[in-house]
Amino acid sequence: MSAFDSFPLGQPAFVTNILDRAAHLRSNDEKLLALEGHRDARAYVVYRDSLVVKQEAEGPRALLTIDEATKFGANPGTIFLGLRDGAAVFGMGIKAEAVEKLLTRNDVAVTELRGMAMQGVVPPDQLSAIAMAKSMVSWHQRHGFCANCGTRSAMKEGGWKRDCPNCKAEHFPRTDPVVIMLVTSGDKCLMGRQKHFPTGMWSCLAGFVEAAETIEDAVRREIFEESGIRCTDVSYYMTQPWPYPSSLMIGCVARATSEDIVVDRTELEDARWFDRAEAMLMLKREHPDGLAGPHPFAIAHHLLGRWLQTVPDLHG
Protein backbone atom coordinates (compact mmCIF):
# COMPACT_ATOMS: atom_id res chain seq x y z
CA MET A 1 0.00 0.00 0.00
CA SER A 2 1.38 3.40 -1.00
CA ALA A 3 1.21 6.50 1.16
CA PHE A 4 -1.49 7.84 -1.17
CA ASP A 5 -3.58 4.68 -0.70
CA SER A 6 -3.34 5.12 3.07
CA PHE A 7 -5.61 8.18 2.95
CA PRO A 8 -8.62 7.53 0.67
CA LEU A 9 -10.94 10.41 -0.14
CA GLY A 10 -12.63 11.65 3.02
CA GLN A 11 -10.03 10.10 5.34
CA PRO A 12 -7.04 12.39 5.86
CA ALA A 13 -4.54 11.75 8.63
CA PHE A 14 -5.53 11.95 12.32
CA VAL A 15 -9.28 11.37 11.85
CA THR A 16 -9.57 7.63 12.58
CA ASN A 17 -9.34 7.09 16.33
CA ILE A 18 -9.00 3.47 17.47
CA LEU A 19 -8.96 4.36 21.16
CA ASP A 20 -11.76 4.47 23.68
CA ARG A 21 -10.89 7.71 25.48
CA ALA A 22 -12.40 6.24 28.69
CA ALA A 23 -12.68 9.71 30.24
CA HIS A 24 -14.33 8.22 33.33
CA LEU A 25 -10.96 6.77 34.34
CA ARG A 26 -9.07 10.07 34.30
CA SER A 27 -9.99 10.96 37.89
CA ASN A 28 -9.13 7.52 39.25
CA ASP A 29 -5.42 7.77 40.06
CA GLU A 30 -5.30 4.29 41.59
CA LYS A 31 -6.84 2.68 38.50
CA LEU A 32 -4.57 4.64 36.12
CA LEU A 33 -1.49 3.58 38.09
CA ALA A 34 -2.59 -0.04 37.85
CA LEU A 35 -3.23 0.27 34.12
CA GLU A 36 0.17 1.83 33.55
CA GLY A 37 1.84 -0.98 35.44
CA HIS A 38 0.10 -3.72 33.45
CA ARG A 39 2.24 -5.63 30.97
CA ASP A 40 -0.15 -4.77 28.12
CA ALA A 41 0.17 -1.01 28.63
CA ARG A 42 1.77 0.95 25.78
CA ALA A 43 2.99 4.50 25.16
CA TYR A 44 3.83 6.91 22.37
CA VAL A 45 6.94 8.95 23.21
CA VAL A 46 6.94 12.43 21.68
CA TYR A 47 9.88 14.78 21.19
CA ARG A 48 8.90 18.11 19.64
CA ASP A 49 7.48 17.18 16.19
CA SER A 50 9.02 13.70 16.28
CA LEU A 51 8.36 10.26 17.70
CA VAL A 52 10.72 7.86 19.41
CA VAL A 53 10.36 4.58 17.50
CA LYS A 54 11.83 1.11 17.94
CA GLN A 55 13.63 -0.09 14.83
CA GLU A 56 12.60 -3.62 13.92
CA ALA A 57 12.91 -5.89 10.89
CA GLU A 58 9.34 -5.10 9.86
CA GLY A 59 9.97 -1.36 10.15
CA PRO A 60 9.70 1.33 12.83
CA ARG A 61 7.35 0.61 15.76
CA ALA A 62 5.88 3.71 17.40
CA LEU A 63 3.82 2.01 20.11
CA LEU A 64 6.31 1.16 22.86
CA THR A 65 5.96 -0.84 26.05
CA ILE A 66 6.14 1.27 29.21
CA ASP A 67 9.42 -0.43 30.07
CA GLU A 68 10.90 0.48 26.67
CA ALA A 69 9.71 4.07 26.99
CA THR A 70 11.22 4.57 30.44
CA LYS A 71 14.49 2.87 29.53
CA PHE A 72 14.78 5.18 26.52
CA GLY A 73 14.53 8.10 28.94
CA ALA A 74 10.90 9.18 28.61
CA ASN A 75 9.72 11.55 31.33
CA PRO A 76 7.81 10.21 34.33
CA GLY A 77 4.20 11.36 34.51
CA THR A 78 2.25 9.87 31.65
CA ILE A 79 -0.83 11.20 29.87
CA PHE A 80 -3.70 8.73 29.66
CA LEU A 81 -4.91 8.64 26.06
CA GLY A 82 -7.43 5.83 26.42
CA LEU A 83 -7.93 2.09 26.00
CA ARG A 84 -7.31 -0.16 23.05
CA ASP A 85 -8.84 -3.61 23.43
CA GLY A 86 -8.85 -3.04 27.19
CA ALA A 87 -5.16 -2.10 27.39
CA ALA A 88 -4.13 1.42 28.39
CA VAL A 89 -2.29 3.68 25.94
CA PHE A 90 -0.33 6.68 27.23
CA GLY A 91 1.54 9.67 25.85
CA MET A 92 4.98 10.56 27.20
CA GLY A 93 7.49 13.33 26.61
CA ILE A 94 11.27 13.06 26.58
CA LYS A 95 14.06 15.55 27.25
CA ALA A 96 16.69 16.63 24.73
CA GLU A 97 19.51 15.02 26.72
CA ALA A 98 17.82 11.62 26.52
CA VAL A 99 17.20 12.05 22.80
CA GLU A 100 20.89 12.82 22.23
CA LYS A 101 21.79 9.45 23.75
CA LEU A 102 19.22 7.66 21.61
CA LEU A 103 20.67 9.09 18.41
CA THR A 104 23.79 6.97 18.91
CA ARG A 105 21.79 3.73 18.91
CA ASN A 106 20.89 1.55 15.93
CA ASP A 107 17.76 0.02 17.47
CA VAL A 108 15.99 3.34 18.12
CA ALA A 109 15.17 6.35 15.96
CA VAL A 110 13.72 9.77 16.65
CA THR A 111 11.79 10.49 13.48
CA GLU A 112 9.67 13.43 12.35
CA LEU A 113 5.99 12.46 12.53
CA ARG A 114 4.75 14.28 9.44
CA GLY A 115 7.30 12.59 7.19
CA MET A 116 6.52 9.13 8.56
CA ALA A 117 2.78 9.67 8.14
CA MET A 118 3.10 11.03 4.59
CA GLN A 119 5.30 8.08 3.61
CA GLY A 120 2.87 5.56 5.10
CA VAL A 121 5.42 4.33 7.66
CA VAL A 122 3.04 4.70 10.61
CA PRO A 123 -0.26 2.79 10.31
CA PRO A 124 -3.00 5.37 9.56
CA ASP A 125 -5.21 3.98 12.34
CA GLN A 126 -2.57 4.97 14.93
CA LEU A 127 -2.20 8.58 13.80
CA SER A 128 -5.12 9.98 15.80
CA ALA A 129 -3.76 8.53 19.05
CA ILE A 130 -0.31 9.87 18.16
CA ALA A 131 -1.84 13.29 17.49
CA MET A 132 -3.43 13.18 20.95
CA ALA A 133 -0.08 12.34 22.51
CA LYS A 134 1.75 15.06 20.59
CA SER A 135 -0.82 17.76 21.34
CA MET A 136 -1.04 16.89 25.03
CA VAL A 137 2.71 16.57 25.60
CA SER A 138 3.23 19.91 23.86
CA TRP A 139 0.51 21.55 25.99
CA HIS A 140 2.07 20.40 29.25
CA GLN A 141 5.51 21.54 28.13
CA ARG A 142 4.20 25.02 27.28
CA HIS A 143 1.80 25.45 30.21
CA GLY A 144 3.72 24.35 33.27
CA PHE A 145 2.89 27.52 35.20
CA CYS A 146 -0.44 29.00 36.20
CA ALA A 147 -1.53 31.71 33.77
CA ASN A 148 -3.35 33.43 36.64
CA CYS A 149 -0.65 33.74 39.30
CA GLY A 150 2.54 32.24 37.83
CA THR A 151 2.89 29.34 40.28
CA ARG A 152 4.07 25.95 39.01
CA SER A 153 0.92 23.92 38.32
CA ALA A 154 0.42 20.17 38.71
CA MET A 155 -0.80 17.56 36.24
CA LYS A 156 -4.18 16.08 37.15
CA GLU A 157 -6.98 13.99 35.62
CA GLY A 158 -4.65 11.65 33.76
CA GLY A 159 -2.93 14.62 32.15
CA TRP A 160 -6.11 16.33 30.91
CA LYS A 161 -5.95 19.13 33.46
CA ARG A 162 -3.44 21.22 35.41
CA ASP A 163 -4.27 22.60 38.88
CA CYS A 164 -2.61 25.57 40.55
CA PRO A 165 -1.80 24.81 44.21
CA ASN A 166 -1.67 28.52 45.01
CA CYS A 167 -4.72 30.26 43.55
CA LYS A 168 -6.64 27.01 42.82
CA ALA A 169 -7.14 27.89 39.15
CA GLU A 170 -7.88 24.98 36.82
CA HIS A 171 -6.27 24.83 33.38
CA PHE A 172 -7.42 22.65 30.49
CA PRO A 173 -5.84 21.90 27.11
CA ARG A 174 -7.14 24.02 24.26
CA THR A 175 -7.75 23.37 20.60
CA ASP A 176 -7.43 26.26 18.14
CA PRO A 177 -9.99 26.34 15.30
CA VAL A 178 -8.61 26.95 11.81
CA VAL A 179 -10.71 27.33 8.67
CA ILE A 180 -9.33 25.81 5.48
CA MET A 181 -11.34 26.34 2.35
CA LEU A 182 -11.63 25.60 -1.33
CA VAL A 183 -13.08 28.58 -3.17
CA THR A 184 -14.58 27.93 -6.59
CA SER A 185 -15.82 30.04 -9.46
CA GLY A 186 -17.64 28.00 -12.06
CA ASP A 187 -15.14 25.44 -13.32
CA LYS A 188 -12.14 26.93 -11.52
CA CYS A 189 -10.76 26.70 -7.99
CA LEU A 190 -8.49 29.04 -6.06
CA MET A 191 -5.24 27.82 -4.52
CA GLY A 192 -2.25 29.53 -3.00
CA ARG A 193 1.42 29.00 -2.24
CA GLN A 194 3.32 29.74 0.94
CA LYS A 195 7.07 30.29 0.91
CA HIS A 196 7.78 27.16 2.94
CA PHE A 197 5.88 24.87 0.53
CA PRO A 198 7.89 22.40 -1.55
CA THR A 199 8.65 23.65 -5.06
CA GLY A 200 5.58 23.47 -7.29
CA MET A 201 3.09 22.73 -4.50
CA TRP A 202 -0.22 24.61 -4.23
CA SER A 203 -2.94 24.20 -1.63
CA CYS A 204 -6.12 25.61 -0.14
CA LEU A 205 -6.07 28.88 1.76
CA ALA A 206 -6.43 28.71 5.55
CA GLY A 207 -6.39 30.84 8.68
CA PHE A 208 -7.27 30.93 12.37
CA VAL A 209 -10.79 31.73 13.53
CA GLU A 210 -10.71 34.93 15.59
CA ALA A 211 -12.50 35.71 18.86
CA ALA A 212 -16.30 36.06 18.54
CA GLU A 213 -16.18 35.06 14.86
CA THR A 214 -18.32 32.49 13.09
CA ILE A 215 -16.78 29.87 10.84
CA GLU A 216 -18.54 31.42 7.85
CA ASP A 217 -17.20 34.88 8.63
CA ALA A 218 -13.70 33.51 9.14
CA VAL A 219 -13.81 31.84 5.71
CA ARG A 220 -14.93 35.04 3.99
CA ARG A 221 -12.43 37.20 5.90
CA GLU A 222 -9.40 34.98 5.36
CA ILE A 223 -10.09 34.55 1.64
CA PHE A 224 -10.47 38.30 1.15
CA GLU A 225 -7.43 39.19 3.28
CA GLU A 226 -5.11 36.75 1.52
CA SER A 227 -6.36 36.91 -2.07
CA GLY A 228 -8.70 39.89 -2.43
CA ILE A 229 -11.49 37.51 -3.51
CA ARG A 230 -15.01 38.02 -2.16
CA CYS A 231 -17.01 34.84 -1.59
CA THR A 232 -20.40 33.57 -0.48
CA ASP A 233 -22.33 30.29 0.00
CA VAL A 234 -19.93 28.95 2.62
CA SER A 235 -20.62 25.32 3.51
CA TYR A 236 -18.96 22.77 5.79
CA TYR A 237 -17.26 19.58 4.59
CA MET A 238 -15.33 17.90 7.42
CA THR A 239 -12.74 18.51 10.14
CA GLN A 240 -9.23 17.23 10.72
CA PRO A 241 -7.33 17.34 14.03
CA TRP A 242 -3.93 18.91 13.36
CA PRO A 243 -1.33 18.48 16.14
CA TYR A 244 0.90 21.43 15.17
CA PRO A 245 0.63 22.14 18.00
CA SER A 246 -3.09 21.59 18.61
CA SER A 247 -5.53 22.84 15.98
CA LEU A 248 -8.76 21.66 14.43
CA MET A 249 -8.85 22.20 10.67
CA ILE A 250 -12.43 23.04 9.63
CA GLY A 251 -12.78 22.17 5.97
CA CYS A 252 -15.19 24.38 4.02
CA VAL A 253 -16.09 25.27 0.46
CA ALA A 254 -17.25 28.66 -0.79
CA ARG A 255 -18.30 30.29 -4.06
CA ALA A 256 -16.40 33.30 -5.30
CA THR A 257 -18.30 36.45 -6.31
CA SER A 258 -15.19 38.04 -7.83
CA GLU A 259 -12.13 36.71 -9.66
CA ASP A 260 -9.52 39.48 -9.61
CA ILE A 261 -6.75 38.31 -7.28
CA VAL A 262 -4.80 40.72 -5.08
CA VAL A 263 -2.26 38.64 -3.15
CA ASP A 264 -1.23 39.59 0.40
CA ARG A 265 2.50 38.88 0.05
CA THR A 266 2.95 38.76 3.83
CA GLU A 267 0.65 35.72 3.93
CA LEU A 268 1.16 34.07 0.54
CA GLU A 269 3.88 33.79 -2.05
CA ASP A 270 1.22 33.58 -4.76
CA ALA A 271 -2.40 32.67 -5.49
CA ARG A 272 -4.13 31.76 -8.75
CA TRP A 273 -7.10 30.03 -10.34
CA PHE A 274 -6.82 26.45 -11.65
CA ASP A 275 -9.30 24.73 -13.92
CA ARG A 276 -10.50 21.18 -13.26
CA ALA A 277 -8.18 19.51 -15.75
CA GLU A 278 -5.09 21.17 -14.30
CA ALA A 279 -6.20 20.55 -10.71
CA MET A 280 -6.73 16.86 -11.48
CA LEU A 281 -3.23 16.54 -12.93
CA MET A 282 -1.82 18.26 -9.84
CA LEU A 283 -3.66 15.92 -7.51
CA LYS A 284 -2.36 12.89 -9.44
CA ARG A 285 1.19 14.31 -9.50
CA GLU A 286 1.06 14.23 -13.33
CA HIS A 287 1.21 17.95 -14.16
CA PRO A 288 3.63 18.60 -17.08
CA ASP A 289 5.15 21.60 -15.28
CA GLY A 290 5.71 19.65 -12.06
CA LEU A 291 2.95 21.43 -10.16
CA ALA A 292 1.35 19.44 -7.34
CA GLY A 293 -1.65 19.68 -5.08
CA PRO A 294 -1.73 18.93 -1.36
CA HIS A 295 -0.77 15.46 -0.07
CA PRO A 296 -3.64 13.07 0.92
CA PHE A 297 -2.28 13.34 4.48
CA ALA A 298 -3.92 16.80 4.65
CA ILE A 299 -7.58 17.81 4.53
CA ALA A 300 -6.83 20.22 1.66
CA HIS A 301 -6.31 17.24 -0.65
CA HIS A 302 -9.74 15.91 0.23
CA LEU A 303 -11.44 19.26 -0.29
CA LEU A 304 -9.93 19.41 -3.75
CA GLY A 305 -10.64 15.76 -4.54
CA ARG A 306 -14.26 16.05 -3.50
CA TRP A 307 -14.76 19.10 -5.75
CA LEU A 308 -13.19 17.28 -8.69
CA GLN A 309 -15.73 14.48 -8.25
CA THR A 310 -18.72 16.82 -8.42
CA VAL A 311 -20.58 17.79 -11.56
CA PRO A 312 -19.20 21.12 -12.87
CA ASP A 313 -21.34 24.18 -12.17
CA LEU A 314 -20.47 26.45 -15.05
CA HIS A 315 -22.80 29.17 -13.77
CA GLY A 316 -21.39 29.35 -10.21
Side-chain angles (χ1 to χ4, degrees):
M1 177 181 289
S2 71
F4 273 57
D5 295 331
S6 298
F7 306 106
L9 192 62
Q11 297 181 43
F14 309 125
V15 302
T16 304
N17 197 338
I18 57 175
L19 298 184
D20 170 5
R21 291 178 181 248
H24 64 285
L25 296 176
R26 294 174 185 172
S27 59
N28 190 333
D29 292 341
E30 184 178 340
K31 179 65 173 179
L32 289 180
L33 189 62
L35 286 170
E36 186 177 344
H38 196 278
R39 65 177 182 277
D40 292 335
R42 296 292 183 269
Y44 294 107
V45 178
V46 178
Y47 177 68
R48 296 179 181 173
D49 288 341
S50 298
L51 280 177
V52 176
V53 297
K54 187 79 165 61
Q55 299 283 44
E56 297 181 333
E58 301 80 13
R61 173 168 55 84
L63 196 56
L64 308 176
T65 67
I66 301 298
D67 186 57
E68 287 172 331
T70 53
K71 285 182 177 177
F72 291 162
N75 297 336
T78 55
I79 299 160
F80 176 63
L81 304 179
L83 302 174
R84 181 178 183 182
D85 299 326
V89 180
F90 296 88
M92 303 176 75
I94 188 170
K95 293 182 179 179
E97 309 88 83
V99 168
E100 287 295 324
K101 295 178 181 179
L102 294 179
L103 295 179
T104 64
R105 298 176 53 161
N106 295 324
D107 61 331
V108 186
V110 182
T111 308
E112 198 265 335
L113 170 60
R114 190 189 307 238
M116 286 196 296
M118 293 177 69
Q119 295 163 23
V121 175
V122 178
D125 65 358
Q126 291 191 37
L127 290 176
S128 181
I130 294 171
M132 291 170 64
K134 184 182 180 306
S135 291
M136 294 298 293
V137 167
S138 176
W139 179 70
H140 282 288
Q141 290 173 342
R142 291 181 291 115
H143 294 83
F145 294 87
C146 176
N148 188 51
C149 72
T151 302
R152 165 71 74 174
S153 58
M155 182 188 291
K156 300 290 183 180
E157 300 281 345
W160 290 88
K161 173 183 172 184
R162 294 191 72 92
D163 281 351
C164 177
N166 181 49
C167 70
K168 309 306 178 184
E170 298 177 319
H171 303 280
F172 300 90
R174 58 177 291 170
T175 296
D176 298 316
V178 178
V179 288
I180 180 165
M181 43 274 171
L182 185 71
V183 179
T184 64
S185 179
D187 208 29
K188 303 187 295 292
C189 69
L190 179 70
M191 287 192 282
R193 268 192 56 78
Q194 295 186 3
K195 292 180 180 179
H196 68 270
F197 282 5
T199 302
M201 177 186 162
W202 295 74
S203 188
C204 298
L205 275 57
F208 286 97
V209 179
E210 294 185 346
E213 185 176 44
T214 67
I215 291 171
E216 294 84 355
D217 282 346
V219 167
R220 288 187 285 262
R221 175 184 55 77
E222 284 288 344
I223 291 296
F224 180 72
E225 287 178 356
E226 296 187 358
S227 69
I229 299 296
R230 296 287 187 183
C231 62
T232 188
D233 297 341
V234 177
S235 60
Y236 165 79
Y237 171 44
M238 69 176 296
T239 56
Q240 179 189 28
W242 192 250
Y244 296 97
S246 188
S247 297
L248 181 67
M249 308 300 291
I250 305 168
C252 297
V253 294
R255 180 174 61 85
T257 59
S258 64
E259 292 189 359
D260 294 331
I261 296 173
V262 181
V263 178
D264 179 355
R265 300 292 176 180
T266 63
E267 294 287 339
L268 297 175
E269 183 178 85
D270 201 2
R272 54 163 286 198
W273 294 102
F274 295 88
D275 63 29
R276 284 177 178 270
E278 194 170 19
M280 181 65 79
L281 290 172
M282 293 167 68
L283 216 58
K284 293 181 176 180
R285 300 298 197 269
E286 296 175 357
H287 195 284
D289 296 330
L291 303 184
H295 192 280
F297 168 83
I299 191 175
H301 174 99
H302 301 263
L303 282 164
L304 187 58
R306 178 173 177 261
W307 174 69
L308 289 170
Q309 286 190 345
T310 61
V311 177
D313 177 12
L314 300 180
H315 304 288

